[in-house]
Amino acid sequence: KSSVQTIGEEQIQNPYTELLVLKGHQDIVRFLVQIDDFRFASAGDDGIIFLWNAQTGEKLFELHGHTHKITAIAPFSSSDVAEEKMDLIITASADRTVIVWDCTSGRQVQKVSCFHSTVKCLTVLQRLNVWLSGGSDLCVWNRKLDLLCKASHLTDAGISALVELPKNCVAAAVGKELIIFRLSASNNGSEGWNVLEVKRLVDHQDNISSLVSINDLTFVTGSHVGELIVWDALDWTKQASECNFLDSSVHPDIQPEIKLSQSPNETSVQHLTSDEECVFAAVGKGIYVYNLQLKRVIACQRTAHDSSVLHIEKLPNRQLISCSEDGSVRIWELREKQQLPAEPVPTGFFNMWGFGRANKQANQAAKKMQENTPTYFLELVGDLIGHSSAVQMFLYFGELGLATCSADHLIILWKDGERESSLRSLTLFKKLAQNGDLQLKL
Amino acid sequence: MISAPDVVAFTREEELEDDLYREPPLPEEYSVPLFPFAGHGANPWAKVAGSKFTRDFILISEFSEQVGPQPLLTIPDDAKVSGTFDLNYFSLRIMSVDYQASFVGHPPGSAYPKLNFVEDSKVVLGDSKEGAFAYVHHLTLYDLEARGFVRPFCMAYISADEHKIMQQFQELSAEFSKASECLKTGNRKAFANELEKKLKDLDYTRTVLHNETEQQKKANDKGYYTTQAIEKANELASVEKSIIEHQDLLRQIRSYPYRKLKESEFHPYEPESAVDRANMGGDQDPAASDLTEPGETHLYTHVPSYTPKLIKAKSAKCFDKKLKTLEELCDVYFFTQTLDQLHHIERTFRGDVCYLLTEQISRALLKQQTVTNFLFEDVSFLDEKPPVKQYRGCQGLGQDAIDEKCSEASLAPKVVISLGSYKSSVECVPIKMEQEMEDSEEPKMSESVMSEHQENLDYLDADIKGSISSGESIEVLGTEKPGSGLTKSESQASLPVIPSPQVGRSKVGSRRTVSEDSIEVLSTCPSESLIPEDFKASYPSAINEEPYVDDNEGGLRFTPRLNPGIDDGQDDISKQESLVQVDAACCIGKESPNFLEPLPELGQKPCEEDGVVRIPPQPYRPAEQGLRGGFPSHDGLSGGLLPYELDSRYLTGSREVSKSSLDECSDSTSYMSSAASTCSDRTPSPAHLACSAGERHRKRAGQNALRFIRQYPFAHPAIYSLLSGRTLVVLGEDEAMVKKLVTALSIFVPNCGVYAKPVKHWVTSPLHLVDFQKWKLIGLQRTVSPAGVNVLHALSRYSRYLSILDADSKTLRCPLYKGTVVARLADHRTQIKRGSTYYMHVQSILTQLCSKAFLFTFCHHLHLPISEREPEESVVNRRMNFLKLQLGLANEDIKIVQYLAELLKLHYIQEPGQGGNPLLRFDYVPSFLYKI
C-alpha cells in the first residue's frame, strides 16, 4: 500500500493541460539550463547538447563535440557593455574536456582538454568575469579560456559542488568537507590570479550532496545522512543545523511509524533550493521546508513521491515543484494552516495516509506552539505524468511552461493549454491579416 | 459530406418513402425536388424501356479495312453485360460518326508519306431505338501494314442514360483521353519498332539487289543495259526510296513528343519540299494502292526476330493479310495500362447519374472548405482533379437554366449548349486571336460552304428518308469537333442564307426541334486544340487557290483533285475514303448501306475544310455575352475562377451570393434526378474516382459503427472521447474483434492534419505518451504474459490521457458525457439500416460540428479583446456565451467544438513546409467506469 498522497484526475489548479514531447536525446537527459527568456539547453549521457525553443518546442541546435556523457553545464552570458551580447554555455564531459558553445550560431567556440580528471562542476563568477571548473583540481579560467590559476590535488573524491560566496570566495564541497577558497589578484601582472584555500569546514558526518547559496549572508549545505547546515557566508561559521529529519520529536507533525519505514539512504539531501525565508530540501522521498528565522522545519511532506525526489524548485506563487525517480512531477502549494485548535484537520490533505490521526494526537503537544506561530503544510495541487522513467530535472519557464527531462530520453514541455490556445488564436488572426483573408469580411 | 446522397439512399428503401417527407426539410440549397412526373406513378429508377443491356459498359471497336466496323472487346468483359444488345450493329454506328480524317500518306507538296499526329475526336451519340447512348472516343493507331498506316479505333462508353453521358461529358472525355493517350503512346512505340524492323529488311533487300545488279553489270560489258538490268535497277531505286521514306517515318514517329510540344508552330511540311514534290510526283502511280510505294507495304510480312528478310515486289491482296490485333498494335505495358484505365472508367461512371453528380457537387463544395475539410473528410482525393472540372456540371446547368435562347429546346440540347458555352468561355482568349487571323478567309469559306450545301442537299435528303423509313435514328448529340456540327446542321437545315457560321452554330441546339432529320448534330464543343494541326496549315492554301472548285459532285471531298499541283496524298484520301465506304458497304450491306455514306463524309469535311474548322469557337460568344448581361453577378462563374469566388464568399459569409450558386447546383441535381435515367437497382453503385476502396471501407465502418451504437449502451461517452481528442484505447484479446471496433469507431476520429487518420488498429507493446500524441484511437492487445502486465501498467499510469474500452469485459472507463450532439450522432434506436447511410448521417452531423468549430475559431472578438483595455475575463465570458447561446452547445459539447477549433487553428497556422510538433491536449477530469 502506497502511503504517497494522490490527487486523482481532477486537478483544477493544475495549469498544465498541454504538452509537447521533445525528442532528440538518445540517453538519459540529466541537465536543463536556461539560456534566456525563451531558450534552454539540454544535455545528458549521450554527450549531445540540444538547444530548444521553450515556446514552440522547436529544436534550434544540436551540438556535438563530447564523446562521453556530460557532467556539468553552465550558462555563461557576457553582458559586457563593450561587446555585443553573446550567449555562451560551458559544458564539461566525462571525456575530460570542457567546451564553450555559442548559442546563437550553434558553433563550438573553444575546447579545453587538459584536465587530469573529469570536471564535475562548473561555476561562473560573472562579477570577476571568470569561470571555475571543479574536479580533482579547482581551476580558474577567464573568458578566453586561459587557465589563470589552479589548486591541485585536493582529495581523491574531487570537488562535487561549487558555490560563489561574497568577497571573492567560493565554497567547494569535497567529500565530507567544505573548503573555502579565496581568489585574489596576483601582485605581479594584471591578468594573474591566485587561488588560496582559506578554510576547511568538517561539520558534516557524510558526503555533502548539495550546496546552495541563499543570499549574500548565508549558504546552506546538505549531506547524505540528512544533515542540513546553514552557514554564515562571511565568516563561514555554522548558523544553524538541522540534522534530525528522522527525529520525530523535533517536529510535531512527524510520526514515529513513518520514520521506521525509512532507510538511511532515503534521508539523503538530494537537492536544496531556497527563497528569502525558507530553505526547501528534497530529502529522500520527502520535501521539507526549513524556516531560516524560526530555525526549524515548518512544513514537510515525508513521502511526497514514490521514490527519491531529485529536484525541487520554488515558484514565485508560493508553489513548489518537485520531480522524482518515480517519473512524476508534482506541484505543491505551501499553505498556512488556518485551523483553530478544536477544528478538525482538513481531510483533503491528510486523509490519504492517516496523517490526520497523528495530527490529532500531536495537537495537544503542539498547541502552544501553534497559538504563537502559524503552521504550514504542503498541499498537492497537481501532478504531471508523462515520463516513463526518472525525471532528472526540470526548468520552470514562467508562463511559457515547464520543461522536464528524464531518463526515458525525452524532454517534455508542459504548457498552459488556455494560454496556448489564445496564443494560437492570436497567431491565426495575424496570419489571416497577413494573407489578406480578413479583407473579405467587408 | 452533403446530405443529398443520403436522401437518395432513403428513397430507395420503399417502406421509408413516407418518412422522408416527414423529415425536417433540408436546407433549400441541398434539397432534392421531387421527381416532377411522380404523379404519374413513374419511378425515377425505372428501367429505361428498350435498352437491351443491363448496365453501362465500355466498347472498343475498330473500323477494319477488311471487314468494316467490328467490336473488339467490352469492359467489363462479360457477356451478360451487353445482353441482347447488338454490339456489331452499335459498332457500326459509333464507327460511322468518326469525324477523324484517317488521312495519312503524301500530303500535298510533301516528298514522303507523312504521319498525321491527329487528335482524337469525341462524340456523343444516341440510338433511341436501342435505348443506348454513348460517349464515343475515336482514335487512330499506326500500323505499317494498314492502309494509310492508320487503323481507326473507337472506345465508347455506352449507357442507357442519355443524361449521364451529357452531364459527364467532360469527365468522360478527360478519362478516355488518358486511356487513349496511353494506348497511342504504346502504339507509337510498337510502330517505331516495326519500322525499325522494316528498315532492316529493306536494307538487306537493297544489299541483295545491289549485289545482283553489280553481277549483271559485270556479266554484260556491252554498252547498253538489258531490260532485266533496268528492272533490277528500278527495283533497287524503289527500295532505296522506300528506305528513305521509312526512315522519314521513323523520324516522324520519334519526333512526336517534340511536335506535340510545339503544336502551335508546327507545320506539317517545309514549303521548299513542294519542289521536290513536283519532281517526284511523276514517279508515283496513282493507281497503285494507297500512300506508299508500289506494293511494298503490303509485301511486308511481320518478322518477329530481327533477322532481315528479303522483300519481294509482289503485291498482296487486301484480304489475304491478317491485320494485327489491338494487343499487337500496342506495347504490352501500355496496353495493360490502358485496360486498367478503362476498367477504372467503368467503375467510376457506373450506377446512377445522380450519384455521380451529388458526389461531384459535394466534392466541389468540400474542396472549397479548405479550412475545415481535413477534419473528417478523406482529403487525399480532393487533390486529384482541377476544381474547374469539378464544378462544371453545376455551372453549366446553372447557365443553361437562364439561357432564354434555348428555352424552346428540350432539356438535352440545353445541357449540351451550356457545355459548349462553358468550354468556349474557358478558351475565350485563344478564340479571339483565332478570329482575327481568320477574318480574311471568312467570306470565301462561307461561300464554299454554301455552295457545297446546295450540292449536298438532295443527297442528304435521300439518306434521311431512308433512315426514317427504316426506323433507325442516330443522333449525334455533341462532338468535340467544332466544324462538324456547323457544316452538318447547316446542310441539314438547308440554311445557306446564314452569312457566316457563327450565327448558325449558336442556334444549333434550338434547331433540333425544328428539324425532322433523324441524323442530328445537336451541338459541338468547340475546341481548337482538337483540330488536326496538319490540316490547319495545309488546306487553307489549297482552298484559297481555287475557292470555287468545291462545286462538284463529291462536295468538298474531291476538292484537291482539281488543284493544279495534284498530289497523291489528296487522291489517296478520296480513294481511301471511298474504299472505306465500299468496305463498309460490302461487309454490312444489309445494314442500310446508304445510311453509312454520308457519315464518313461528315467526318471528313471539317478536316478538309480547314477554314470552317477554325472559326467555330466564335458562335458561342453571343451566348456567353447574353449570359453575362442577364446575370452580372455570375461574371466570375465563367472560367476557372469559380471555386475561388465561391470560397471567398463562404469566408465572407455573404449568404446571398453563395446561396444563389448553390441553388444552381441543386437545380442541376434535381434535374438530373428527375430525368429518367439508368436503373440504379440493376447496376452497382458507382465507386467514385479511386475511392472504391474508401467506399467499401466507409460501408464497413458505417455498418460496424451502427452495430456498436446498438450493442454498447455507453457508446456516447466513448464517441465523446474521440471527438474531444481524448485517446480511446480498445483493449481486447481477440485481434479481429478489436480491429472491428476500431474500424467502427474510426469514423468519429477527427484528423489532426492532412495525413492519415490518427488510428492504430493493433498494438501489442505497452503504450507511451508519444503514442497518444500520434494516435487518437488505438487497438491494444491484452495478454496474460508478463509483457501484458506492463501493458496494463502503462494504461493505468497514463489513464488521465485515456479512455479505455475493454472489449472483453465490455466496460468503458472514460469521462462523463452529458451533451446532446453525440446523442444525435449515435442514437441506438436509429432507423438507419445501411452502413453507408449511417456513415453519411455521421458525416452530416460532423459537418455541422465542423461549421460550428469554424465559426468559433474565426470570430475575432471571441478570442481577442475588442479594445486594448478589455480584461481577459470578459473575452472568456464572451467566448463561453457564444458557445452556449449562439452555437447552442451544452456541457461537454463545448469541449468537442473547442477541440475541433484547436485543430483548425493548428492546421491554419501551420507553415506548409514544417511538420509542426504534435501536441497533446488534455483535461484533468475524473473518469467513470461504465458497464453493460
Side-chain angles (χ1 to χ4, degrees), chain B residues 780-796:
Chain B
L780 183 66
Q781 184 184 35
R782 181 208 297 274
T783 49
V784 280
S785 66
V789 174
N790 283 337
V791 168
L792 292 182
H793 178 75
L795 275 190
S796 70

Side-chain angles (χ1 to χ4, degrees), chain B residues 221-277:
Chain B
D221 39 5
K222 294 162 198 166
Y224 60 92
Y225 294 111
T226 60
T227 48
Q228 213 182 6
I230 291 169
E231 249 172 53
K232 273 279 182 268
N234 277 344
E235 206 175 325
L236 186 62
S238 87
V239 166
E240 264 163 7
K241 183 165 171 291
S242 179
I243 288 174
I244 294 169
E245 282 168 352
H246 279 84
Q247 276 168 347
D248 191 56
L249 282 176
L250 190 60
R251 183 186 55 75
Q252 287 179 53
I253 199 82
R254 282 189 175 149
S255 66
Y256 176 78
Y258 171 73
R259 294 173 72 171
K260 267 293 244 197
L261 279 176
K262 307 198 78 185
E263 219 165 20
S264 49
E265 305 119 59
F266 169 63
H267 296 287
Y269 61 91
E270 277 70 46
E272 52 266 33
S273 66
V275 186
D276 298 4
R277 182 78 213 77

Side-chain angles (χ1 to χ4, degrees), chain B residues 395-404 406 411 414-415 418 627:
Chain B
Q395 187 198 358
L397 287 157
Q399 288 179 350
D400 84 76
I402 50 168
D403 195 343
E404 291 296 315
C406 298
L411 280 172
K414 267 207 244 173
V415 174
S418 64
L627 183 85

Side-chain angles (χ1 to χ4, degrees), chain A residues 16 18 383 385 387 424 440, chain B residues 652 797 800-801 921 924:
Chain A
Y16 300 109
E18 193 175 304
D383 63 345
I385 293 174
H387 290 291
R424 275 194 287 272
L440 296 167
Chain B
T652 57
R797 178 173 178 83
R800 67 175 56 174
Y801 307 115
R921 287 174 64 80
Y924 297 103

Side-chain angles (χ1 to χ4, degrees), chain A residues 9 11 14 16-19 23 57 327 383 385-388 421 424-426 429 431-432 437 440, chain B residues 652 768-770 773 797-798 800-801 813 860 863-864 902 905 908 917 919-922 924-925 927:
Chain A
E9 285 174 327
Q11 302 175 10
N14 189 343
Y16 300 109
T17 54
E18 193 175 304
L19 63 84
K23 283 187 266 190
D383 63 345
I385 293 174
H387 290 291
S388 56
S421 173
R424 275 194 287 272
S425 285
L426 196 65
F429 287 110
K431 190 169 175 182
L432 270 175
D437 291 348
L440 296 167
Chain B
T652 57
H768 197 262
L769 187 71
V770 184
Q773 284 187 308
R797 178 173 178 83
Y798 295 117
R800 67 175 56 174
Y801 307 115
R813 192 188 160 281
H860 183 272
H863 302 280
L864 302 174
E902 235 27 72
K905 282 188 218 169
Y908 190 86
N917 268 313
L919 50 83
L920 179 68
R921 287 174 64 80
F922 49 91
Y924 297 103
V925 287
S927 286

Side-chain angles (χ1 to χ4, degrees), chain B residues 191-428:
Chain B
F191 187 61
N193 280 341
E194 204 186 347
L195 274 170
E196 276 170 5
K197 287 178 198 167
K198 178 71 182 283
L199 274 172
K200 283 195 176 128
D201 290 348
L202 285 169
D203 200 42
Y204 178 69
T205 312
R206 183 179 60 179
T207 320
V208 172
L209 282 174
H210 187 72
N211 289 343
E212 285 176 7
T213 320
E214 288 300 308
Q215 278 169 2
Q216 276 180 351
K217 265 188 200 164
K218 279 178 195 160
N220 107 59
D221 39 5
K222 294 162 198 166
Y224 60 92
Y225 294 111
T226 60
T227 48
Q228 213 182 6
I230 291 169
E231 249 172 53
K232 273 279 182 268
N234 277 344
E235 206 175 325
L236 186 62
S238 87
V239 166
E240 264 163 7
K241 183 165 171 291
S242 179
I243 288 174
I244 294 169
E245 282 168 352
H246 279 84
Q247 276 168 347
D248 191 56
L249 282 176
L250 190 60
R251 183 186 55 75
Q252 287 179 53
I253 199 82
R254 282 189 175 149
S255 66
Y256 176 78
Y258 171 73
R259 294 173 72 171
K260 267 293 244 197
L261 279 176
K262 307 198 78 185
E263 219 165 20
S264 49
E265 305 119 59
F266 169 63
H267 296 287
Y269 61 91
E270 277 70 46
E272 52 266 33
S273 66
V275 186
D276 298 4
R277 182 78 213 77
N279 299 338
M280 305 285 276
D283 295 345
Q284 300 266 324
D285 183 3
S289 72
D290 341 342
L291 351 153
T292 50
E293 298 59 70
E296 283 195 352
T297 337
H298 295 272
L299 302 181
Y300 172 71
T301 44
H302 183 68
V303 194
S305 72
Y306 284 92
T307 324
K309 280 179 81 176
L310 186 65
I311 293 174
K312 283 177 187 162
K314 193 182 75 184
S315 187
K317 286 284 166 290
C318 161
F319 289 94
D320 290 349
K321 63 175 179 186
K322 188 185 171 295
L323 286 172
K324 288 195 194 67
T325 63
L326 188 57
E327 288 95 321
E328 286 166 347
L329 278 174
C330 184
D331 185 78
V332 181
Y333 171 77
F334 287 100
F335 185 71
T336 45
Q337 290 284 305
T338 309
L339 285 186
D340 287 350
Q341 167 68 7
L342 290 175
H343 278 287
H344 168 70
I345 294 173
E346 196 273 329
R347 275 199 307 275
T348 305
F349 288 97
R350 69 186 173 196
D352 197 280
V353 68
C354 77
Y355 259 113
L356 290 171
L357 285 159
T358 40
E359 186 88 1
Q360 279 165 8
I361 292 164
S362 66
R363 206 124 49 97
L365 293 172
L366 252 185
K367 200 166 203 159
Q368 292 155 23
Q369 319 289 318
T370 46
V371 178
T372 56
N373 61 11
F374 73 96
L375 280 177
F376 292 104
E377 306 294 341
D378 182 14
V379 196
S380 52
F381 74 84
L382 289 175
D383 304 328
E384 279 178 5
K385 282 190 165 187
V388 177
K389 223 158 107 197
Q390 294 290 337
Y391 216 67
R392 193 225 14 104
C394 318
Q395 187 198 358
L397 287 157
Q399 288 179 350
D400 84 76
I402 50 168
D403 195 343
E404 291 296 315
K405 283 182 182 172
C406 298
S407 57
E408 83 268 34
S410 65
L411 280 172
K414 267 207 244 173
V415 174
V416 178
I417 280 186
S418 64
L419 281 178
S421 61
Y422 165 73
K423 192 136 193 196
S424 67
S425 66
V426 172
E427 295 176 348
C428 67

